Amino acid sequence: MTQSILIDTSKCMGCRACQVACKQWNQLPADKTEFAGTYENPPRVSPVTWMRITFQEEETDKGVKWYFGNQRCMHCTDAACEIVCPVGAIYHSEEGTVNINFNKCIGCNYCAASCPFKVISFNRKTDLPTKCTFCYDRIASGYQPACSTACPTGAITFGERRDLINQASHRVMDLNDNGNSNAMLYGLDELSGTGMLYLLEDVPSHYNLPASPEVPLQARLWGMLFKPLRIFVVLAMALGLWTNYNKTREIKNAVKSQKSSEHTEHNG
Ligand code: SF4
Ligand code: SF4
Ligand code: SF4
């Protein structure tokens, strides 16, 4: 992985300009939601919301402390979604981003079910998975991701991974020296390194991140035992779908012919 995005949560003010920029660039409509007693909106990622700001508030001696998380695909090196995909539709680009090839995807939903961060959504209208693309279309043309260009506080930085780690490590040391012993860099070792790096001011759970994300065991087993046989798995799935389709057609035909004979009897 050569390039990454660093989110410095100590600089985020929860304005959601990044969330809106993601929608604008990717032409995603708004999610219709209802007020649920929190500023957090929408409540989860969806086919039309690929990233969102999470809000957590805590009463402290000095007043309310806000924790703003930035939930989206992490672009994991050890990516469960890629491991389980039976047709190899999910792959790592040369830059290390995790991409989906929609021409290969068969809509089985295994990727969404296996993601340890729960950041792939499944679009029931198109039968396709959706997630943050790392703005692959922009960075391939020399532009920054839309979310990082929109952030007014400089909390989102795109760049060379090595430089970002260097920058974040110094900032963590500063925070530690100033009495914040919980400050940490997240994404360095998690899942062998993630494309998203987070400078956290406190424990990961405050930012909607699992402390120790892992590829689920069943995903590993699936990858080891069944993936070498994936062509047979795909054929079996295709056969299942085809049989199902034929059965449905037979039932529909039977219902149609019964209706037409009832109609003839009635007229006779
Ligand atoms: S966060 Fe989930 S969807 Fe993104 S690369 Fe990792 S496993 Fe795949
Ligand atoms: S990198 Fe692009 S697709 Fe991903 S959250 Fe940012 S704007 Fe959205
Ligand atoms: S645009 Fe920047 S400050 Fe605003 S919510 Fe996003 S990361 Fe936070």
Side-chain angles (χ1 to χ4, degrees), residues 31 38 53-54 70 80 84 91 102 133 146 149 158-159 163 169 179 207 222 232 243 254 266:
D31 263 313
T38 166
I53 298 295
T54 61
N70 200 300
V84 295
Y91 64 98
F102 294 113
T133 62
T149 55
F158 167 73
D163 298 342
S169 304
Y207 303 92
W222 167 265
F232 300 109
T243 314
H266 180 75

Side-chain angles (χ1 to χ4, degrees), residues 88-147:
I90 302 187
Y91 64 98
H92 277 89
S93 69
E94 277 179 21
E95 290 78 9
T97 61
V98 176
N99 298 354
I100 304 174
N101 180 343
F102 294 113
N103 292 326
K104 281 190 175 180
C105 176
I106 53 168
C108 66
N109 199 16
Y110 292 170
C111 53
S114 306
C115 171
F117 296 96
K118 301 284 170 243
V119 287
I120 296 196
S121 312
F122 203 71
N123 188 335
R124 295 279 161 211
K125 286 187 193 144
T126 58
D127 267 347
L128 290 172
T130 56
K131 69 175 191 70
C132 154
T133 62
F134 211 100
C135 278
Y136 189 68
D137 47 352
R138 289 175 63 92
I139 63 172
S141 307
Y143 294 101
Q144 293 202 20
C147 50

Side-chain angles (χ1 to χ4, degrees), residues 59-266:
E59 293 285 346
T60 70
D61 298 343
K62 294 176 191 156
V64 173
K65 163 83 182 153
W66 286 97
Y67 297 94
F68 302 116
N70 200 300
Q71 190 185 26
R72 54 168 84 194
C73 170
M74 300 290 283
H75 298 270
C76 318
T77 300
D78 204 5
C81 55
E82 183 185 20
I83 292 170
V84 295
C85 178
V87 291
I90 302 187
Y91 64 98
H92 277 89
S93 69
E94 277 179 21
E95 290 78 9
T97 61
V98 176
N99 298 354
I100 304 174
N101 180 343
F102 294 113
N103 292 326
K104 281 190 175 180
C105 176
I106 53 168
C108 66
N109 199 16
Y110 292 170
C111 53
S114 306
C115 171
F117 296 96
K118 301 284 170 243
V119 287
I120 296 196
S121 312
F122 203 71
N123 188 335
R124 295 279 161 211
K125 286 187 193 144
T126 58
D127 267 347
L128 290 172
T130 56
K131 69 175 191 70
C132 154
T133 62
F134 211 100
C135 278
Y136 189 68
D137 47 352
R138 289 175 63 92
I139 63 172
S141 307
Y143 294 101
Q144 293 202 20
C147 50
S148 68
T149 55
C151 178
T153 62
I156 307 179
T157 317
F158 167 73
E160 288 298 316
R161 183 172 177 81
R162 203 184 33 218
D163 298 342
L164 294 179
I165 290 173
N166 207 3
Q167 178 188 326
S169 304
H170 280 104
R171 178 97 176 113
V172 169
M173 274 193 277
D174 274 353
L175 290 166
N176 290 160
D177 289 348
N178 282 304
N180 183 351
S181 56
N182 282 345
M184 63 176 288
L185 179 56
Y186 186 96
L188 207 51
D189 301 317
E190 284 77 12
L191 297 163
S192 307
T194 56
M196 296 298 307
L197 293 166
Y198 289 82
L199 193 158
L200 304 181
E201 283 191 284
D202 214 317
V203 290
S205 58
H206 279 314
Y207 303 92
N208 217 28
L209 290 165
S212 312
E214 281 182 358
V215 173
L217 180 62
Q218 58 272 36
R220 287 252 183 254
L221 289 173
W222 167 265
M224 274 177 353
L225 301 176
F226 297 109
K227 210 164 175 185
L229 305 171
R230 70 183 178 203
I231 184 62
F232 300 109
V233 176
V234 173
L235 285 174
M237 286 172 89
L239 183 66
L241 287 173
W242 185 73
T243 314
N244 205 12
Y245 169 76
N246 274 340
K247 268 193 189 148
T248 313
R249 208 170 56 167
E250 276 169 24
I251 292 169
K252 274 186 183 163
N253 285 344
V255 171
K256 223 192 261 173
S257 72
Q258 192 181 346
K259 272 190 182 160
S260 108
S261 63
E262 277 172 9
H263 184 71
T264 317
E265 273 172 27
H266 180 75

